[in-house]
Amino acid sequence: MAAQDDAAHLHADTSEERTASKFGLLDADENLPQYHIEAQASLVERPLRALKYGEAFAVLDSYGDIGWYPGPEGLYFQDTRYLSRLALTIEDERPMMLSSAIQDDNGALSVDLTTPDIRLDAGDETAIPRELIAIERTKFLFKGACYDRIGLRNYDTRRRRLRIGVTFDADYRDLFEVRGSDRTNRGKRTVERRSDTEVQFRYAGLDEIVRTTSLHFGPKPHTLEPGKAEFVVELAPGANTSLFIRVLCQSHRAYTSAPGPEKAGEAAAAALSRAAGSLAEQPDRHASEGRIFARAYRDNRRDQRQITAGITTIISSNDQFNEGLCRATADLYMLATRTQEGIYPFAGIPWYSTVFGRDGIITAMMALWIDPNFGKGVLRFLAATQAKEVDPAADAQPGKVLHETRRGEMAMLGEVPFRHYYGTIDGTPLFLMLAAQYHEVTGDLDTIRAIWPQLKLALDWIDTYGDRDGDGFVEYARETEQGLANQGWKDSHDSIFHADGAMAKGPIALCEVQGYVYAAKRGAARLASLLGEDDLSVRLSAAANTLRENFDKAFWCEEIGTYALALDGAKRQCAVRSSNTGHALFTDIALPERAPKVAAQLLSNDGFNGWGIRTIAKGEARYNPMSYHNGSIWPHDNAICALGLARYGLKDEAAQVFEGMFDTSLYYDQKRLPELFCGFMRRRQRGPVSYPVACSPQAWAAAAPFAFLAACLGLELDHARNRIRFRNPVLPRFLEAVELFNLKLGDSRADIRLHRHGHDVTVAVTRRVGDMQISMLK
């Protein structure tokens, strides 16, 4: 993930692929990676369903239950599992599955169930034949609460009496515990039956925060005790009824003397604390649970419509691609979380449902042309949470952009360093890149002017703390042993290495980071000129040009025919073929004469496996197609490579990558691209190989299809010239036509149809409101 704080790795020999263990690179006493995601079972082993609203998210099985099997299932709030079990039974039997699906806009989970054959006593004949009672279940999240409606209808010709059981529990495990971290000490948990319709769990954490889970049932259960509710339902022929469960997640400080957040993260804590929709609403205590459910469901739907109002939408000639785009759009807006500064796309479910700087920036970049509000919200939030002072424990220095923020007990206590953590080398130049791109698309100089002091601080950070040895390149080395050893987007412990497999020793200058810095300085130079700081603009342009020249001299490696992965602390090249070079194309730091060679490496049999571009090419010393960053395939990484290829006019190559990723989506549930998948070679009549603990949905994977499409269309939105341009557009083979609706530039709007005729593409404007120019350039 862009900014992952850890990696889960599988090191295994296969007959097809060489692995790190065959090269003797893993010592017998080598420790597990930092913040390892422990897995005894794969997340793709059985279907899971994800819901999210604000700071709450739920991972459910296909029945809508929690806790039938070990795993990440649960209802989470602020990085803590507030509900670890919620299981429905009929006469002590699990219902039979008929269908299960997340609704098209991700607003709710809809499940259809029925009763199995039920024997009330052992040895008796069947008392209730199957398929007589229909059970319709609807679950959704809204403002810190999980709502669950269980509808029952009797299709029998006789009256039926049923016992409906619900078992429940709350373990208050920190998300890092769920991922596999061990803890010696924990706080105190209690549970009490507070009324005939409510049970409350309470956890007094060691961080002096009290977390409560309140379960409200309606109508009143026949019996209710801590851990179990039982309803007795009688249904006449054709009759129906509904049962409701509402789970409220809340937290508050136990003592006013509790320590406040460290200075580097005060703004982050405040921004999330004031996030709209992060706290549970208290309904009228006299309202029935049915009325509460209906009102919340209505408000949830209204909220979904409001957040997506006015976005650019896409319809193509390929129904399967349309389905994937609808899912990607729904995922983006489900992950979008309201903060005081605007919407921010949380990174992914289940492991990264929080603010990540790098992830948010890249997601916003790829989604700028469909909704620039992502860009505005990300810029404002990261400006508000920018580090103001040196804090080695948080890897923070003045001007540095936030890597991630966590609100669970382990982060609050410092057991993991991610409460407000700044250990990312690329977040700061990417922040500047996004600012320039956002202004280019929107012309919103007011937002740029408001964050200009933070943008200038980011520039200062690049030239001081970022360039540790004054050689003009930006390098990283962590300030705390608890921090991340590698701080680029490939932040696994073993992701940066030399050709012989030896780990690179820092400070490390990454290939793609120099590209980000180059693009950041060029973009900031344009912004400085607009804001009247001409001297700064000239200096930044000159520095960018110098960096481009020096980058080519230091990073180009004729031996491998592409740019090196990185330079180590001794300025030795890590002569490893990687997808990072595609980012050099994306940022335009690569010299034009290098682009065809870079593209050839990316799309070689070692680089491109038929589904996508591998993070590390096959044949490199630490290549492992099942690893997190050393041979796997990431949709967002491929989208950036495609944008880079298109920038240098390599449109057919960009379309090839797009086609591989579209084919990949066809094998995944709901056409949803996962965070990553394994890099095994594509084979006939077999789909891509899933990665066992990949997040799904993941924000920048959801944004990737929009980046692929923009790359192939050559889409350019230029607010300053009031112009939309399609530069040498191509459409991949699976698309004959694409229509863009409500494409925005300033106050103008347009609907545009692009149609493929052989290899050529025509552009037709079917509706235009305003005076913007629309053109195609070959």
Side-chain angles (χ1 to χ4, degrees):
M1 177 191 96
Q4 307 290 11
D5 52 51
D6 59 86
H9 297 267
L10 301 177
H11 297 284
D13 295 339
T14 70
S15 58
E16 179 191 8
E17 314 287 359
R18 290 185 297 170
T19 64
S21 58
K22 284 190 176 180
F23 281 84
L25 300 175
L26 301 181
D27 297 332
D29 58 351
E30 184 172 339
N31 293 325
L32 283 173
Q34 276 182 305
Y35 312 111
H36 177 72
I37 300 176
E38 188 175 281
Q40 281 77 42
S42 169
L43 296 185
V44 298
E45 189 174 290
R46 53 194 174 85
L48 295 175
R49 305 287 185 252
L51 296 170
K52 179 188 170 295
Y53 188 93
E55 292 188 77
F57 73 91
V59 178
L60 312 164
D61 67 18
S62 55
Y63 290 75
D65 285 339
I66 294 168
W68 280 94
Y69 306 99
E73 294 168 17
L75 173 62
Y76 295 82
F77 184 62
Q78 296 176 349
D79 295 305
T80 303
R81 185 157 64 183
Y82 274 65
L83 198 66
S84 53
R85 182 170 178 81
L86 187 74
L88 175 69
T89 59
I90 310 292
E91 296 291 346
D92 299 323
E93 300 286 344
R94 197 171 198 194
M96 289 176 60
M97 169 65 65
L98 299 178
S99 70
S100 172
I102 295 288
Q103 294 179 4
D104 288 346
D105 63 357
N106 282 340
L109 170 65
S110 296
V111 184
D112 288 294
L113 307 164
T114 186
T115 48
D117 287 317
I118 293 174
R119 298 184 180 187
L120 299 182
D121 294 302
D124 286 357
E125 295 183 358
T126 299
I128 304 176
R130 67 179 185 274
E131 304 159 4
L132 291 180
I133 309 297
I135 306 164
E136 182 182 6
R137 195 170 188 182
T138 303
K139 299 189 74 146
F140 66 94
L141 305 184
F142 189 60
K143 294 190 174 181
C146 178
Y147 295 84
D148 193 345
R149 172 188 173 272
I150 302 164
L152 300 108
R153 180 178 292 274
N154 182 11
Y155 284 97
D156 199 358
T157 56
R158 52 177 285 193
R159 177 180 293 272
R160 289 293 181 179
R161 184 177 186 274
L162 300 167
R163 288 186 302 111
I164 313 296
V166 180
T167 56
F168 49 89
D169 199 4
D171 63 5
Y172 294 102
R173 296 288 175 179
D174 187 284
L175 186 62
F176 283 88
E177 289 184 272
V178 178
R179 286 168 35 164
S181 297
D182 294 325
R183 298 186 69 197
T184 303
N185 299 313
R186 304 190 78 255
K188 183 180 179 181
R189 192 196 77 148
T190 57
V191 58
E192 66 172 323
R193 179 178 179 272
R194 293 169 62 89
S195 73
D196 291 344
T197 59
E198 180 187 357
V199 169
Q200 184 180 88
F201 293 87
R202 184 178 186 273
Y203 178 71
L206 301 178
D207 56 355
E208 298 185 333
I209 292 178
V210 175
R211 298 167 173 87
T212 60
T213 307
S214 300
L215 292 97
H216 298 261
F217 299 90
K220 183 175 72 173
H222 182 71
T223 61
L224 180 62
E225 57 191 67
K228 186 173 183 179
E230 187 170 277
F231 298 86
V232 177
V233 175
E234 292 202 21
L235 291 173
N240 65 85
T241 191
S242 293
L243 312 176
F244 297 91
I245 307 168
R246 176 168 49 99
V247 185
L248 274 64
C249 305
Q250 294 178 302
S251 65
H252 65 272
R253 283 214 170 272
Y255 312 106
T256 57
S257 61
E262 63 268 36
K263 291 182 179 178
E266 285 178 355
L272 280 178
S273 293
R274 293 189 293 264
S278 65
L279 297 176
E281 290 188 331
Q282 294 293 338
D284 178 0
R285 64 187 181 89
H286 297 296
S288 70
E289 288 298 327
R291 288 173 55 195
I292 294 169
F293 178 95
R295 184 165 60 247
Y297 189 81
R298 178 201 63 201
D299 292 346
N300 179 288
R301 287 300 194 204
R302 184 177 296 164
D303 183 80
Q304 290 287 327
R305 290 193 297 270
Q306 181 184 43
I307 199 172
T308 57
I311 69 171
T312 297
T313 57
I314 305 156
I315 296 179
S316 79
S317 56
N318 187 312
D319 289 341
Q320 292 178 309
F321 183 59
N322 294 338
E323 184 181 345
L325 285 176
C326 288
R327 178 54 54 196
T329 302
D331 286 347
L332 272 178
Y333 289 96
M334 179 174 73
L335 292 167
T337 302
R338 289 178 173 83
T339 76
Q340 188 187 33
E341 308 300 338
I343 58 172
Y344 199 106
F346 278 17
I349 297 173
W351 313 122
Y352 306 109
S353 188
T354 186
V355 165
F356 277 81
R358 186 191 299 118
D359 296 62
I361 293 169
I362 292 178
T363 299
M365 283 181 177
M366 293 194 290
L368 265 178
W369 69 278
I370 65 165
D371 189 353
N373 285 320
F374 282 108
K376 185 175 184 177
V378 169
L379 287 169
R380 288 172 53 88
F381 187 95
L382 294 178
T385 57
Q386 189 179 39
K388 301 298 189 295
E389 61 184 32
V390 174
D391 182 358
D395 266 329
Q397 302 100 29
K400 201 173 185 183
V401 164
L402 185 74
H403 172 68
E404 71 176 290
T405 182
R406 296 283 189 173
R407 304 187 71 186
E409 185 179 11
M410 293 178 70
M412 299 296 283
L413 292 171
E415 295 175 21
V416 294
F418 305 116
R419 183 177 183 180
H420 310 295
Y421 183 60
Y422 292 81
T424 169
I425 194 61
D426 51 12
T428 306
L430 284 168
F431 172 61
L432 289 155
M433 280 183 65
L434 175 60
Q437 291 183 16
Y438 171 78
H439 177 264
E440 183 177 8
V441 168
T442 66
D444 179 7
L445 196 58
D446 288 341
T447 293
I448 299 302
R449 188 179 286 111
I451 65 172
W452 185 239
Q454 288 77 27
L455 294 173
K456 291 176 71 175
L457 277 175
L459 288 166
D460 290 342
W461 179 87
I462 286 172
D463 290 336
T464 53
Y465 298 98
D467 184 2
R468 289 171 170 261
D469 54 12
D471 67 344
F473 297 134
V474 170
E475 306 97 356
Y476 66 85
R478 62 181 173 185
E479 302 293 328
T480 169
E481 286 300 312
Q482 273 198 307
L484 300 179
N486 286 315
Q487 299 189 351
W489 87 262
K490 295 178 182 177
D491 54 10
S492 305
H493 76 299
D494 61 349
S495 60
I496 310 301
F497 57 94
H498 286 283
D500 63 359
M503 303 306 301
K505 299 186 183 301
I508 292 171
L510 293 169
C511 164
E512 74 275 15
V513 171
Q514 315 319 311
Y516 301 155
V517 172
Y518 170 75
K521 289 188 174 182
R522 288 185 63 192
R526 294 193 297 272
L527 297 177
S529 178
L530 289 169
L531 294 170
E533 297 197 31
D534 293 335
D535 290 344
L536 175 60
S537 178
V538 171
R539 290 199 306 273
L540 288 170
S541 294
N545 292 335
T546 300
L547 175 59
R548 195 185 201 204
E549 294 176 7
N550 292 340
F551 172 77
D552 189 74
K553 294 175 184 177
F555 279 82
W556 182 257
C557 181
E558 196 63 42
E559 180 183 353
I560 61 174
T562 190
Y563 291 106
L565 169 62
L567 304 181
D568 70 6
K571 304 304 173 185
R572 293 187 306 136
Q573 290 184 345
C574 295
V576 174
R577 297 167 298 158
S578 71
S579 65
N580 301 56
T581 56
H583 296 230
L585 300 179
F586 169 65
T587 57
D588 201 34
I589 197 173
L591 297 183
E593 59 267 29
R594 305 294 194 197
K597 291 185 177 181
V598 173
Q601 182 276 312
L602 292 172
L603 293 170
S604 68
N605 287 337
D606 288 344
F608 185 78
N609 78 336
W611 303 110
I613 296 170
R614 296 177 172 115
T615 46
I616 294 294
K618 179 182 176 182
E620 298 296 344
R622 285 186 175 264
Y623 169 73
N624 177 352
M626 298 179 291
S627 72
Y628 200 54
H629 287 132
N630 288 345
S632 57
I633 296 171
W634 293 63
H636 90 278
D637 185 37
N638 276 250
I640 288 175
C641 290
L643 288 165
L645 292 165
R647 175 184 285 277
Y648 287 80
L650 302 169
K651 289 296 189 66
D652 290 339
E653 290 83 349
Q656 181 182 347
V657 181
F658 190 6
E659 288 180 12
M661 205 54 57
F662 167 71
D663 290 346
T664 297
S665 72
L666 302 181
Y667 286 89
Y668 282 91
D669 187 31
Q670 304 171 85
K671 310 297 186 294
R672 171 188 281 160
L673 288 172
E675 176 188 14
L676 74 156
F677 54 97
C678 293
F680 292 107
M681 187 61 72
R682 185 170 181 170
R683 303 174 191 173
R684 289 181 180 275
Q685 300 182 346
R686 292 182 62 178
V689 179
S690 296
Y691 186 77
V693 291
C695 287
S696 184
Q698 179 87 354
W700 58 9
F706 304 104
F708 282 119
L709 191 58
C712 288
L713 297 181
L715 178 61
E716 299 174 358
L717 278 67
D718 187 342
H719 186 275
R721 294 180 176 83
N722 194 32
R723 180 181 68 194
I724 292 177
R725 174 179 285 174
F726 297 91
R727 186 180 293 273
N728 188 25
V730 301
L731 284 173
R733 289 173 296 180
F734 65 88
L735 291 178
E736 291 185 4
V738 169
E739 291 187 83
L740 312 179
F741 295 93
N742 199 39
L743 185 60
K744 300 178 289 296
L745 188 68
D747 295 328
S748 300
R749 305 286 186 273
D751 298 342
I752 302 171
R753 177 178 173 83
L754 296 99
H755 196 279
R756 178 168 56 83
H757 305 273
H759 194 266
D760 293 327
V761 173
T762 58
V763 178
V765 180
T766 58
R767 181 184 71 96
R768 175 163 37 191
V769 178
D771 61 352
M772 65 177 170
Q773 303 172 37
I774 302 171
S775 63
M776 182 175 71
L777 180 66
K778 279 291 191 180

